[in-house]
Amino acid sequence: QVQLVESGGGLVQAGGSLRLSCVASGRTFSNYVVGWFRQAPGKEREFVSGINRSGINTYYAASVKGRFTISRDNAKNTVYLQMNSLKPEDTGVYYCAARSSLIAPREPSQYDYWGQGTQVTVSS
């Protein structure tokens, strides 16, 4: 098992940047792939980005590709999501999730462990 805590959310204007962090407990973080998801009121939780255990392979939703960058520092038990050129439609609660596997799935139901989320609000 792993415990996850997100941070770094906030209120920014369109075109601004935020960096989210997902910190995991323990020293076995390198065994887990991690995905970032977001959810707006009245909408389904959607995949944003994923990263494999080593950080070599990364994945992005089409809506954020070219603007967001996912990375990880296993020595610090942390996964980051750098978000640039933010748009109002990026607004939502951002969650990190972990799974003990080789591939980071795009379906929320495939993840076993979730953080509590951090709010990101992008104003026009």
Side-chain angles (χ1 to χ4, degrees), residues 91-112:
T91 294
V93 178
Y94 282 68
Y95 301 88
C96 64
R99 174 181 177 173
S100 181
S101 68
L102 297 178
I103 301 173
R106 289 169 168 78
E107 294 294 330
S109 62
Q110 296 300 305
Y111 288 86
D112 301 310

Side-chain angles (χ1 to χ4, degrees), residues 19-101:
R19 188 180 73 164
L20 306 184
S21 298
C22 174
V23 180
S25 64
R27 300 181 63 190
T28 59
F29 186 54
S30 61
N31 292 333
Y32 297 87
V33 299
V34 174
W36 282 99
F37 296 81
R38 67 189 181 191
Q39 188 168 23
K43 298 180 65 177
E44 297 291 328
R45 189 168 299 186
E46 64 175 345
F47 172 82
V48 176
S49 185
I51 191 166
N52 78 331
R53 296 187 297 181
S54 68
I56 294 175
N57 297 317
T58 58
Y59 312 89
Y60 299 94
S63 59
V64 307
K65 190 174 183 180
R67 299 188 296 120
F68 292 9
T69 302
I70 190 171
S71 62
R72 69 189 297 164
D73 185 343
N74 287 337
K76 296 182 178 179
N77 286 357
T78 302
V79 169
Y80 304 96
L81 184 67
Q82 178 67 47
M83 306 186 296
N84 298 326
S85 301
L86 283 163
K87 305 175 181 179
E89 50 263 46
D90 295 319
T91 294
V93 178
Y94 282 68
Y95 301 88
C96 64
R99 174 181 177 173
S100 181
S101 68

